[in-house]
Amino acid sequence: MGGKDPVTPMVTSPEIRFDDGAAYERYMGEWSRLAGEPFLDWLAPGSGLRWLDVGCGSGAFTEMIVERCAPASVQGIDPSEAQLAYARARPALRLARFQQGGAMELPFPGDTFDVAVLPLSISFVPDPARGVAEMARAVLPGGAVAA
């Protein structure tokens, strides 16, 4: 074999693009739904609650909240305006509200929500403990915070 190691071809995955909501949805949307189902089963929320979806991205999980949980309201927050534009265009999310921002400094007063979730994007939060603490601040006493 001449002492040379065989060269293994590099396998690349599609790049996750946060500046293109449609591309992100094609790449991550189905995975979001697959991971979101057991997450909501585990959380077992009641209906009529006020939700905060942190890192909502293209709105795939937000749509699950609307479909499965009969919320009183849903607020999604994400740093990517392109993701939010895609989420806003989803027909099932016309009653949801979306705002640009990040988990580290949520732009909401304390004691605003019944449930705050960060189901699929905690790995993108620079300081996860601080992000979860911000979520807890925004949730009413006795509410649920899950990541």
Side-chain angles (χ1 to χ4, degrees):
M1 294 266 158
K4 292 186 178 181
D5 292 327
V7 175
T8 305
M10 182 187 299
V11 177
T12 59
S13 298
E15 178 184 352
I16 298 175
R17 302 233 4 229
F18 297 106
D19 61 347
D20 183 338
Y24 182 86
E25 178 65 19
R26 283 191 304 276
Y27 184 67
M28 296 296 291
E30 186 61 27
W31 184 88
S32 296
R33 286 180 284 281
L34 289 172
E37 290 287 336
F39 185 83
L40 282 175
D41 290 343
W42 167 77
L43 192 56
S47 61
L49 301 175
R50 292 166 295 172
W51 285 75
L52 172 61
D53 184 4
V54 180
C56 65
S58 64
F61 187 78
T62 315
E63 189 170 77
M64 292 179 66
I65 293 169
V66 169
E67 291 172 350
R68 288 192 48 184
C69 303
S73 65
V74 181
Q75 176 74 47
I77 187 165
D78 197 271
S80 170
E81 187 55 45
Q83 296 281 37
L84 295 172
Y86 188 89
R88 287 182 190 108
R90 294 175 92 105
L93 296 179
R94 64 186 174 279
L95 299 178
R97 300 290 170 249
F98 296 97
Q99 185 172 342
Q100 190 171 18
M104 304 283 284
E105 293 181 34
L106 295 173
F108 307 104
D111 303 338
T112 300
F113 301 97
D114 300 300
V115 182
V117 292
L118 180 69
L120 304 169
S121 56
I122 197 162
S123 61
F124 298 110
V125 177
D127 183 347
R130 181 174 164 195
V132 171
E134 266 293 280
M135 291 166 58
R137 179 194 61 75
V139 169
L140 291 159
V145 175

